[in-house]
Amino acid sequence: MPVGGLLPFSVSPLGTGSGVGAGPGGLAPGGGVSGLHWLGPAGRKLSGFRLTEKFVLLLVFSGFITLCFGAIFFLPDSPKLLSGVFFQQPPQRTPFGPGLLDEEDGGRLARIREEHERALREAKDTLNRPPEQIKGEIQEEKDRLRAQGRGTTAGRLNPRPFKEPIGVVGKEPADPDVKQKRDKIKEMMKFAWDNYKRYAWGLNELKPIQKQGHSSNLFGNIQGATIVDSLDTLFIMGMKDEFKDAKEWVDKNLEFNVNAEVSVFEVNIRFVGGLLSAYYLSGEEIFRAKAVELGEKLLPAFNTPTGIPWALLNMKSGIGRNWPWASGGSSILAEFGTLHLEFVHLSEVSGNPVFAEKVMNIRKVLSRLDKPQGLYPNYLNPSSGQWGQHHVSVGGLGDSFYEYLLKAWLMSDKTDEDAKTLYYSAVQAIETHLIRKSSNGLTYIAEWKGGLLEHKMGHLTCFAGGMFALGADGAPGDKTGHHIELAAEIARTCHESYDRTTMKLGPEAFRFDGGVEAIATRQNEKYYILRPEVIETYMYMWRFTHDPKYRQWGWEAVQALEKYCKVEGGYSGIRDVYAPHPSHDDVQQSFYLAETLKYLYLLFSDDDLLPLEHWIFNTEAHPLPIIQKADRTIETIE
């Protein structure tokens, strides 16, 4: 409203610059009181009043003007209103572009009315939809938020609180002979650790002959693989000072922001698994924090069209790729299939469900695919979601995928029925198409290449004896006894592969063709790199049968390690286990301390040390607790 319409007076101009009103409703500067002519209702002039009446009227007039202009200044948007009245400026465009900030009151009211009507329409549409559809959309929103690592009221993760671990300090063996052998294994661990600390501290692995550090490209620029891999072994062996030194190094020196490619699989099983296990055993917060930090660093590996992760990841840039030799850029079954245990536990200790969701998506992708003869090929393209070359192996490239199906079920306190179904179906296909007997009755697991069998079994495949024993109790129908028998037969075959060598240590692979059985026939398969898989099967077979031959076989391996692999600066692998004298490869693998020595120690311990009803071991032998139903961190509030 123009300001002139508010005032009950008009002004007669007295000349340029001398009147009070210079325009409609305006006040020109320089006007005097004597120049005012006030026209009342009867048209009387001011000059007809007495002096006292003029003075009173002037006071009233001045007060009225003050009141009117004060009201203007206190009205909403008064600066804009005054600028329009007195200066007639066009509305200014805000630098933020068109929107509510540059609209007049009428436009703003229209926008509010439009949004209100749209909200009403959406509410009506929602009420008209079936309840199932509404519930589904709400669930989709929950899933989206959880995928971003954000908890929701209806479904959230709380970090798993630390609980005192069960069975991390076992009793001394009652049998003096068993105790003496276990003490010997602890002595071997101390020798391997002390030499690593003396010659390669803070580096990944030890070259015990050259007495210096060793690092493969599997870890990029991440350092300390032996330290992290050894944490839980040091803890359960009661090597407190060594464990303290390792913890201090992790706290001060373990870094993941490295500009280099790492193997997602190797870093997961050794570093993530080692840190999680150390946390669950000791309760030290530094291990939990480092495990979660590393898990977050590995998440970009899953940024593929299918969610099947890359094999290699640059930890700094987040760029991933696959091994160039892997069937047209495929991901490898044993690598992307060996993340489940660690990533589920990362969600447990962090409260972030994204880790578990990533590995559950892998299972969904695999469930949708047709499996040739029920078997899982070793290669899967992460872009197309289709199998690569039809090569099937329970050894290298495939092995721990099957192990993790079984252990996912066990770790869930036997509630993950999908994992159980997938595992026993896979075992049935393996038994039908891959398991064979030699002419002299040795059971072995062959490899399958496009429908043709290669009668070769790798040292890595020897873990399967322990796997079959571990899964026997849940076998469908009346097959529990059959699975134990199958496990025992695999253990025997793998022992034969050791016993038929000069050094009583098994080759990397052995064959059943050309008149030979359980013997390596090719030079590039005759090496032994301190691998644990045969010892692992002995340990499980001892736990489930208490047959003394498994401890006997384990002790044979201890004697062979001491005789042929021990050197002045630690333990080394051997290039040819059939040669009369050892030729050392000069590498003390981190898994020798993490797995081989740990499984030997457990083999000569009572069953109350890391009891299998409370713990499962990842494929690097790092113990992780079974997630009891009562301890679940996932809350669902409907």
Side-chain angles (χ1 to χ4, degrees):
M1 180 185 296
V3 68
L6 297 173
L7 304 178
F9 65 90
S10 63
V11 182
S12 299
L14 301 176
T16 305
S18 62
V20 178
L27 296 177
V33 175
S34 61
L36 290 175
H37 296 272
W38 182 67
L39 300 179
R44 292 175 299 174
K45 294 187 177 180
L46 190 61
S47 57
F49 290 95
R50 298 176 183 173
L51 181 61
T52 54
E53 293 174 334
K54 291 180 180 179
F55 181 75
V56 171
L57 288 173
L58 183 61
L59 287 176
V60 172
F61 178 71
S62 300
F64 192 83
I65 290 176
T66 302
L67 177 64
C68 292
F69 276 87
I72 291 172
F73 278 105
F74 284 100
L75 285 173
D77 286 334
S78 56
K80 186 186 290 186
L81 186 61
L82 287 174
S83 71
V85 171
F86 293 115
F87 304 106
Q88 298 295 320
Q89 290 180 348
Q92 298 296 313
R93 289 286 174 181
T94 170
F96 302 103
L100 290 177
L101 292 178
D102 61 1
E103 292 180 347
E104 296 296 339
D105 291 341
R108 186 182 296 111
L109 289 173
R111 175 70 60 85
I112 293 172
R113 185 180 300 108
E114 179 183 347
E115 291 177 353
H116 179 65
E117 290 173 353
R118 185 173 65 250
L120 287 175
R121 288 194 303 270
E122 291 175 353
K124 290 177 182 178
D125 291 342
T126 299
L127 291 174
N128 290 330
R129 280 180 289 179
E132 294 78 13
Q133 183 179 354
I134 298 172
K135 187 175 180 180
E137 291 177 357
I138 293 172
Q139 185 61 46
E140 287 179 4
E141 179 64 10
K142 291 180 192 176
D143 294 341
R144 184 184 68 80
L145 292 173
R146 278 198 295 268
Q148 297 173 354
R150 295 163 52 193
T152 67
T153 303
R156 65 178 179 272
L157 281 170
N158 296 321
R160 175 190 177 103
F162 175 74
K163 293 181 63 176
E164 283 299 320
I166 297 173
V168 298
V169 179
K171 300 188 300 288
E172 289 285 337
D175 185 333
D177 180 62
V178 174
K179 181 182 183 304
Q180 182 181 5
K181 289 174 177 175
R182 193 176 82 155
D183 289 344
K184 174 60 180 177
I185 295 160
K186 180 176 177 178
E187 177 188 307
M188 295 167 70
M189 176 67 184
K190 183 167 177 56
F191 183 76
W193 175 264
D194 286 349
N195 279 283
Y196 165 77
K197 186 176 181 182
R198 183 177 299 114
Y199 301 118
W201 183 246
L203 302 176
N204 280 322
E205 291 167 320
L206 167 68
K207 296 176 76 68
I209 295 175
Q210 296 185 40
K211 297 180 181 178
Q212 63 186 37
H214 167 76
S215 185
S216 71
N217 59 4
L218 297 174
F219 313 116
N221 293 335
I222 299 177
Q223 297 297 323
T226 293
I227 295 174
V228 177
D229 237 359
S230 300
L231 284 165
D232 47 22
T233 308
L234 296 171
F235 190 92
I236 67 171
M237 288 187 179
M239 299 173 66
K240 296 180 180 179
D241 292 339
E242 291 84 354
F243 182 82
K244 180 181 177 183
D245 291 341
K247 177 202 163 191
E248 289 179 356
W249 186 91
V250 168
D251 191 9
K252 296 177 181 177
N253 302 106
L254 185 58
E255 296 292 340
F256 305 124
N257 191 31
V258 295
N259 187 21
E261 281 187 328
V262 302
S263 164
V264 174
F265 164 74
E266 294 288 353
V267 166
N268 175 65
I269 65 172
R270 302 197 203 198
F271 284 89
V272 177
L275 291 165
L276 285 171
S277 180
Y279 168 68
Y280 281 124
L281 292 172
S282 70
E284 296 286 354
E285 168 62 18
I286 184 61
F287 300 131
R288 188 200 69 84
K290 288 289 186 181
V292 174
E293 178 190 351
L294 179 53
E296 290 171 347
K297 286 284 188 182
L298 294 177
L299 286 176
F302 294 85
N303 293 338
T304 67
T306 59
I308 298 295
W310 300 112
L312 301 169
L313 179 72
N314 185 295
M315 297 284 282
K316 190 167 187 178
S317 69
I319 297 174
R321 67 182 180 97
N322 277 334
W323 299 104
W325 49 264
S327 187
S330 291
S331 298
I332 297 170
L333 183 69
E335 295 193 338
F336 66 76
T338 312
L339 303 168
H340 191 100
L341 305 185
E342 297 84 0
F343 272 59
V344 167
H345 270 289
L346 283 174
S347 283
E348 287 287 317
V349 301
S350 71
N352 188 346
V354 70
F355 299 108
E357 288 166 357
K358 294 297 186 185
V359 291
M360 290 306 297
N361 177 68
I362 293 173
R363 188 184 293 177
K364 291 177 183 176
V365 172
L366 292 175
S367 296
R368 291 195 295 263
L369 289 171
D370 291 330
K371 289 85 179 173
Q373 306 296 322
L375 299 168
Y376 290 82
N378 291 337
Y379 302 107
L380 181 65
N381 189 295
S383 298
S384 68
Q386 299 300 313
W387 298 117
Q389 174 185 347
H390 280 196
H391 174 207
V392 177
S393 170
V394 184
L397 306 180
D399 49 5
S400 45
F401 164 73
Y402 305 99
E403 173 190 358
Y404 271 39
L405 288 178
L406 171 62
K407 290 180 176 178
W409 175 57
L410 296 175
M411 193 178 77
S412 72
D413 204 11
K414 299 184 178 180
T415 61
D416 187 347
E417 291 294 329
D418 288 341
K420 177 183 179 181
T421 300
L422 291 172
Y423 169 72
Y424 289 108
S425 297
V427 169
Q428 181 59 51
I430 288 167
E431 190 167 4
T432 300
H433 300 289
L434 303 182
I435 294 181
R436 296 290 183 267
K437 273 189 183 290
S438 71
S439 57
N440 289 317
L442 291 180
T443 299
Y444 63 97
I445 306 176
E447 298 189 6
W448 189 84
K449 295 186 175 179
L452 299 176
L453 285 184
E454 183 178 13
H455 297 273
K456 176 186 79 170
M457 185 170 174
H459 191 291
L460 290 167
T461 318
C462 286
F463 89 97
M467 179 180 73
F468 293 147
L470 185 61
D473 187 52
D478 58 352
K479 292 187 176 181
T480 294
H482 173 68
H483 280 228
I484 285 288
E485 290 174 6
L486 184 59
E489 291 174 4
I490 296 296
R492 175 177 171 239
T493 298
C494 292
H495 174 256
E496 287 297 316
S497 76
Y498 274 50
D499 199 47
R500 299 182 184 195
T501 69
T502 304
M503 299 179 187
K504 306 304 178 185
L505 293 168
E508 182 69 4
F510 44 94
R511 295 180 178 267
F512 298 85
D513 56 17
V516 300
E517 295 185 357
I519 294 175
T521 58
R522 303 181 184 183
Q523 190 60 40
N524 63 355
E525 297 173 347
K526 295 181 178 181
Y527 61 89
Y528 171 71
I529 57 172
L530 308 174
R531 285 202 187 276
E533 288 78 19
V534 174
I535 309 298
E536 176 183 357
T537 281
Y538 295 166
M539 188 277 291
Y540 280 111
M541 294 306 298
W542 166 255
R543 286 282 178 104
F544 287 109
T545 70
H546 286 173
D547 186 330
K549 71 183 177 188
Y550 297 112
R551 280 183 165 172
Q552 177 190 336
W553 292 351
W555 189 247
E556 290 172 3
V558 169
Q559 294 174 307
L561 288 165
E562 286 290 281
K563 184 174 182 179
Y564 295 108
C565 297
K566 186 176 183 179
V567 296
E568 185 178 353
Y571 291 88
S572 169
I574 299 169
R575 291 191 174 94
D576 186 347
V577 293
Y578 299 95
H581 304 287
S583 172
H584 295 107
D585 65 11
D586 197 21
V587 179
Q588 179 176 282
Q589 305 278 351
S590 78
F591 56 68
Y592 177 66
L593 294 82
E595 299 186 75
T596 308
L597 293 176
K598 183 189 288 130
Y599 282 135
L600 282 169
Y601 189 79
L602 292 172
L603 176 61
F604 290 96
S605 298
D606 291 346
D607 296 354
D608 64 341
L609 181 59
L610 299 177
L612 298 181
E613 61 268 26
H614 294 287
W615 298 90
I616 56 96
F617 296 90
N618 86 336
T619 200
E620 190 77 357
H622 296 306
L624 299 170
I626 288 174
I627 304 171
Q628 306 290 338
K629 298 172 189 175
D631 295 335
R632 295 284 157 77
T633 61
I634 300 176
E635 294 180 19
T636 303
I637 303 172
E638 298 295 341

